[in-house]
Amino acid sequence: MKLPEILVKLKEHKIAFVGGIILCVLYVVMLFAEFIAPYHYDSEVRNHSYMPPTEFHWFDESGKFHLIPIFYEKSFEFDQYFRRIYVEDKSKYYTLQFFAKGEKLKLLGLIPINRHLFGSNARIYILGADSRGRDLFSRIIYGSRVSLTIGFAGVFFAMTFGLLVGAIAGYFGGVIDNILMRFCEMVMLVPSFFLLLALRAAFPPQMSSVQIFFMIVFILSFIGWASTARIIRGMTKSISQREFVLAAQAIGQSRGKIIIFHILPQTLSFVIVSLTLSIPSFILMESGLSLIGLGIQDPHASWGNLLSDVMNIADIHLHPWMLIPGGFIFITVMAFNFLGDGLRDILDPRAAES
């Protein structure tokens, strides 16, 4: 089935189509993080620790209506339990500005920019601030680069390795098949998250966040390839008996070419569906590692380590906006699952009938 046909059928599968649109929006936002986020992920104002989300108003204190929302700066005072209580200073209001000048950053690390999608003369906290007074909205936008790309990167390498191992095992059979499949079973016997923790603990703790990112991709790939290899092995055994494979053998094509150009393309529909359904588990595993402090380290942001500020009931009660990154994880995982279910129905009509 060609790509235009898949897109047409995807529009008819409304839930999958909505999931695809959500993912497209998330990935576009991820690419233009420097422009969409009003501040850098590590830009902090310590006096704004755990500042609640900015409240926008259409009317000022005099009752005047504003076409563009206004907001007031907040200052804090301590209550009887020495907790910060933020109060609006309504003596002066500020206007939300679009394409406002702000911090000088490099879009995608290449293009210098000093304008952002929105901003103001006073600091804005769309989704509140964290413990160090950093804008949570900006950190979520930057954090998406880790949480969204680590799933794709991990699945890509896991799928590639699983495809090759499974195709080799299924095509050659015999001793090679037995050795490769027994190794797959050994990997699959170990609970994935505990294996993830064990492999992570084997690396030096002083690694940078960039090194940790690539190391987590490697670990996730090592964990995820075995189940793919077993499925591809079974598909290869079936495909290798078809006429076009036998014809390729008869004309003397090498085994490598037969595997790469004749057998693996026949597994493409399974690979596409499996990819969309596997990415959520990779995102959740990275989030779990970062949540317990073994993944991406502060000040770099990922959706997992943003949740580390709400590790107990008191934090959730006092600063509920710190749970918002978990909402992004939930939405992303559900969107991938909806898209994967839709693609499975489109590419395998028998699954839809059953």
Side-chain angles (χ1 to χ4, degrees):
M1 187 179 292
K2 296 181 179 179
L3 181 60
E5 296 176 0
I6 295 176
L7 293 176
V8 170
K9 289 185 175 292
L10 194 61
K11 289 182 180 180
E12 299 173 359
H13 202 296
K14 293 183 179 179
I15 295 180
F17 184 70
V18 170
I21 293 296
I22 290 173
L23 291 175
C24 288
V25 171
L26 288 173
Y27 278 95
V28 168
V29 169
M30 176 198 76
L31 287 174
F32 297 98
E34 290 86 359
F35 171 70
I36 295 174
Y39 311 106
H40 189 256
Y41 63 81
D42 198 29
S43 176
E44 63 179 57
V45 180
R46 291 298 180 97
N47 288 337
H48 293 172
S49 175
Y50 287 125
M51 179 174 282
T54 299
E55 300 175 29
F56 292 97
H57 307 273
W58 295 101
F59 296 90
D60 58 26
E61 283 297 285
S62 63
K64 181 182 177 181
F65 175 76
H66 295 264
L67 289 174
I68 299 177
I70 63 169
F71 66 96
Y72 300 97
E73 276 196 302
K74 291 183 178 180
S75 58
F76 67 87
E77 54 190 36
F78 293 101
D79 64 6
Q80 58 182 331
Y81 302 108
F82 298 100
R83 296 178 301 189
R84 290 191 181 195
I85 304 298
Y86 285 93
V87 181
E88 289 183 332
D89 178 11
K90 295 190 176 182
S91 61
K92 181 181 180 181
Y93 65 80
Y94 297 87
T95 304
L96 182 66
Q97 301 172 2
F98 294 98
F99 304 104
K101 282 190 175 182
E103 300 176 16
K104 293 182 178 179
L105 301 171
K106 286 188 176 181
L107 185 64
L108 297 174
L110 300 172
I111 306 171
I113 61 171
N114 64 349
R115 289 190 178 271
H116 304 271
L117 180 61
F118 63 89
S120 183
N121 295 331
R123 199 167 175 90
I124 302 175
Y125 296 101
I126 298 293
L127 300 178
D130 66 4
S131 59
R132 292 168 54 183
R134 296 174 296 191
D135 178 40
L136 184 61
F137 175 78
S138 298
R139 288 181 62 76
I140 288 174
I141 299 299
Y142 279 98
S144 67
R145 286 188 166 171
V146 172
S147 297
L148 294 178
T149 57
I150 209 165
F152 261 117
V155 168
F156 173 78
F157 290 113
M159 283 287 178
T160 301
F161 190 58
L163 282 169
L164 291 176
V165 171
I168 291 170
Y171 186 78
F172 288 96
V175 177
I176 295 176
D177 183 20
N178 284 327
I179 293 174
L180 291 177
M181 289 303 102
R182 299 300 79 78
F183 182 62
C184 288
E185 290 165 3
M186 289 172 58
V187 174
M188 294 174 66
L189 279 173
V190 183
S192 58
F193 193 72
F194 292 103
L195 179 59
L196 185 66
L197 293 177
L199 291 173
R200 171 65 183 90
F203 288 85
Q206 66 272 14
M207 297 175 69
S208 68
S209 287
V210 175
Q211 292 172 320
I212 290 174
F213 175 86
F214 287 106
M215 181 266 297
I216 291 177
V217 169
F218 167 76
I219 294 175
L220 293 177
S221 303
F222 180 78
I223 290 174
W225 69 270
S227 58
T228 301
R230 285 186 62 84
I231 297 172
I232 295 298
R233 176 249 189 188
M235 296 178 69
T236 301
K237 280 186 172 293
S238 174
I239 296 169
S240 61
Q241 302 303 316
R242 295 184 182 178
E243 291 81 359
F244 61 88
V245 176
L246 297 177
Q249 293 172 345
I251 64 175
Q253 282 196 355
S254 66
R255 292 174 175 178
K257 285 185 176 180
I258 291 173
I259 291 174
I260 294 174
F261 295 108
H262 296 284
I263 293 178
L264 289 182
Q266 299 300 312
T267 66
L268 186 60
S269 61
F270 162 77
V271 170
I272 293 173
V273 174
S274 181
L275 185 144
T276 55
L277 293 175
S278 299
I279 288 175
S281 62
F282 281 55
I283 292 175
L284 290 173
M285 282 192 282
E286 182 279 324
S287 299
L289 270 184
S290 297
L291 177 64
I292 61 178
L294 295 177
I296 304 301
Q297 303 294 320
D298 196 69
H300 292 86
S302 81
W303 289 346
N305 72 7
L306 291 179
L307 288 172
S308 60
D309 280 347
V310 280
M311 293 290 284
N312 57 64
I313 297 297
D315 288 330
I316 296 174
H317 174 70
L318 295 173
H319 322 296
W321 57 88
M322 295 302 297
L323 284 173
I324 294 176
F328 279 85
I329 295 173
F330 175 79
I331 291 172
T332 303
V333 168
M334 294 303 295
F336 270 115
N337 283 327
F338 289 148
L339 180 60
D341 287 341
L343 290 175
R344 181 184 58 194
D345 295 343
I346 293 168
L347 298 174
D348 185 7
R350 292 171 297 178
E353 294 172 3
S354 62

